[in-house]
Amino acid sequence: MADNDSETMADNDSETMADKTKVFNDPIHGNIELHPILVKIIDTPQFQRLRNIKQLGGVYYVYPGASHNRFEHSIGVAYLAGELLQTLKEKQRKLRIDERDVLCVQIAGLCHDLGHGPFSHMFDLMFIPKARPGYDWSHEKASQNMFDHLVEENGLIGVMEHHGLVPEEDRLFIKELIDPPKVEEITEWPHHGRPREKAFLYEVVSNTRNKIDVDKWEYFARDCHHLGMKNNFDCHRLIKFARVCEVDGMMQLCYRDKEVFNLYNMFYTRFSLHKRAYQHKVANSVEWMIRDAFLEADQHMEIKGHDGKTFTLSTAIDDMVAYTKLTDAIFDQILNSSSEELQRAREILERIMRRELYVCLGDFSSQQPQAIIEAQWNKHLRGGNPDDYVVELVKYNYGMGAEDPIKHVRFYNKQNTDEAGPINRAQVSLLLPEHFEEKKCRIYTKRTSNEDLEADREMFNTFGPAQPHQA
């Protein structure tokens, strides 16, 4: 993604560089023009760090086109957030969406992934839970912390004020947008950044009500492009048919009734991406190996943070100066090190480079929790070493577990654009899916000899079929 300064210079010579927009030539959205404050945020070390974090982690080891990073995705989310809000602002003036609202939501879209660690979800879903069991942390919380760090470290309070923002209110608002509470947990209005009548703003970047938001629209389009898959979902059409309606006392993002098929396409795209790419057994094998290497290296990596304090891979999340230094480059630091302390970690990564990966012995449908399956497998080993295996429960769904997410979407019709309600499945089609989630359990072996692999496969074949299967 290149920026073109020559096309974006403002006509007014008195404008400072801080007031210049920039146009980015993006392969997904074309020419994107961004507000000066967004450019200012992009041009910080904390945001530039995202250039070195793969969007799809280990999937790159299966799909060679999946080399894109969190950097360009985040810019795309900011762009789509602006497109959606500008459309609502023009069509529904009574909503009183002002430029301050638009800018804050765009900043939230731009900064929503600042907290991702090396290899994206491998870090927060595989590594941290094992390295720091029970620790209350998420990449969304890290994004909020990193946003505060970015603003303070780069002196952006004055820049925010210069562009009409109110830092005391809007910093909090932006962080609320990055990680809003689940809708079902809301009894009294929980936010301080904006009042209840602007509740719809909290559904743009991260929609906890029904999972329809610009973050997903962006990564569906970008991931499909880089994976070489077709994307049948058209977010630009959906934006044109988006409206805000009052539903059960809450101002919600709603959509035209005829767009229900477009939304089902969106959710099917999500399911398909998880099935074919995100949860690919080889991609997950690579990520389990990177996780194991990180666990071996954890206590032997020294990362300097605030005031010169040192942190490990797993404790760097507590210090934003240290965390800024954590990117996918950690892989190469371990791989190319000569330290004896990192030898075991290095050997695991060398296996990846030789394509000597953990082998998936197979999978089976299961309704059992992962902990129970893991305990049953360990018992089945009959004296074998549980550390030689990985038990993984993979879920494929439409984004809301076993539920149909369309149940949580409200639709308006052509005759009445100010009232919205649920849509009857029978009105949509008789061919809609009956089930919206499937679970598969996989077991990987870390052992490499032909004799061990044969023994492990035989052991799996006597284990998998005995498990309770999904109906």
Side-chain angles (χ1 to χ4, degrees), residues 418-434:
D418 291 324
E419 291 184 13
I423 201 159
N424 191 319
R425 278 173 59 89
Q427 287 178 258
V428 181
S429 173
L430 297 176
L431 301 178
L432 293 176
E434 290 295 325

Side-chain angles (χ1 to χ4, degrees), residues 69-323:
N69 301 297
R70 291 277 162 187
F71 178 86
E72 51 266 36
H73 161 66
S74 299
I75 290 174
V77 175
Y79 166 71
L80 288 180
E83 291 291 289
L84 176 57
L85 282 184
Q86 290 294 353
T87 299
L88 294 173
K89 182 183 174 188
E90 291 168 12
K91 289 185 176 180
Q92 294 182 266
R93 297 190 182 280
K94 64 181 181 180
L95 296 175
R96 296 182 179 177
I97 300 171
D98 55 32
E99 285 304 315
R100 197 175 139 204
D101 293 332
V102 175
L103 206 46
C104 284
V105 176
Q106 283 195 284
I107 292 171
L110 188 68
C111 297
H112 79 287
D113 274 350
L114 285 177
H116 267 295
F119 296 92
S120 291
H121 288 297
M122 183 286 299
F123 191 83
D124 61 293
L125 300 181
M126 294 178 173
F127 173 65
I128 290 296
K130 186 72 173 178
R132 302 181 70 175
Y135 190 62
D136 184 19
W137 182 85
S138 67
H139 78 264
E140 291 90 354
K141 286 184 178 179
S143 293
Q144 293 173 326
N145 293 337
M146 187 66 83
F147 173 69
D148 273 338
H149 177 62
L150 181 155
V151 169
E152 290 159 12
E153 195 73 8
N154 297 282
L156 295 187
I157 295 291
V159 178
M160 293 175 77
E161 291 173 337
H162 174 73
H163 290 290
L165 300 184
V166 181
E168 297 78 20
E169 293 177 13
D170 292 337
R171 276 178 71 178
L172 177 60
F173 178 41
I174 291 162
K175 290 193 291 181
E176 289 175 339
L177 291 167
I178 288 172
D179 191 22
K182 293 180 180 177
V183 169
E184 57 265 26
E185 295 174 358
I186 295 177
T187 49
E188 297 182 3
W189 184 241
H191 300 300
H192 303 283
R194 292 296 184 273
R196 190 183 187 94
E197 54 267 26
K198 290 195 173 182
F200 61 92
L201 293 175
Y202 290 91
E203 299 181 352
V204 176
V205 174
S206 179
N207 190 341
T208 62
R209 183 187 304 281
N210 52 40
K211 308 299 180 182
I212 302 171
D213 53 53
V214 296
D215 176 31
K216 292 171 188 64
W217 298 351
E218 213 291 328
Y219 76 68
F220 290 159
R222 192 171 300 278
D223 292 354
C224 282
H225 174 82
H226 287 280
L227 290 165
M229 297 179 183
K230 295 293 183 186
N231 177 22
N232 293 322
F233 166 66
D234 184 354
C235 72
H236 297 285
R237 177 180 172 86
L238 196 64
I239 286 172
K240 294 186 182 303
F241 287 102
R243 283 186 70 83
V244 174
C245 302
E246 185 174 349
V247 180
D248 299 328
M250 193 78 77
M251 301 300 281
Q252 294 183 24
L253 279 175
C254 304
Y255 300 93
R256 176 74 185 277
D257 51 4
K258 67 178 182 177
E259 288 306 297
V260 65
F261 281 112
N262 198 12
L263 286 172
Y264 270 115
N265 271 335
M266 185 197 99
F267 288 115
Y268 183 77
T269 297
R270 182 192 189 278
F271 167 80
S272 182
L273 282 166
H274 274 269
K275 190 86 170 174
R276 298 171 63 189
Y278 302 160
Q279 302 293 348
H280 193 287
K281 65 181 181 181
V282 177
N284 283 15
S285 171
V286 171
E287 292 196 346
W288 286 119
M289 294 182 77
I290 296 172
R291 182 208 69 161
D292 285 353
F294 278 22
L295 288 171
E296 292 287 353
D298 187 18
Q299 300 304 314
H300 308 298
M301 301 286 289
E302 288 192 356
I303 302 153
K304 280 196 176 181
H306 185 65
D307 288 338
K309 293 178 183 175
T310 59
F311 297 85
T312 67
L313 286 180
S314 62
T315 61
I317 58 177
D318 299 323
D319 182 280
M320 291 302 103
V321 174
Y323 196 46

Side-chain angles (χ1 to χ4, degrees), residues 49-76:
R49 164 181 178 269
L50 298 181
R51 287 186 185 272
N52 298 310
I53 296 177
K54 288 280 183 293
Q55 176 80 10
L56 299 185
V59 176
Y60 182 42
Y61 287 83
V62 179
Y63 288 89
S67 59
H68 54 304
N69 301 297
R70 291 277 162 187
F71 178 86
E72 51 266 36
H73 161 66
S74 299
I75 290 174

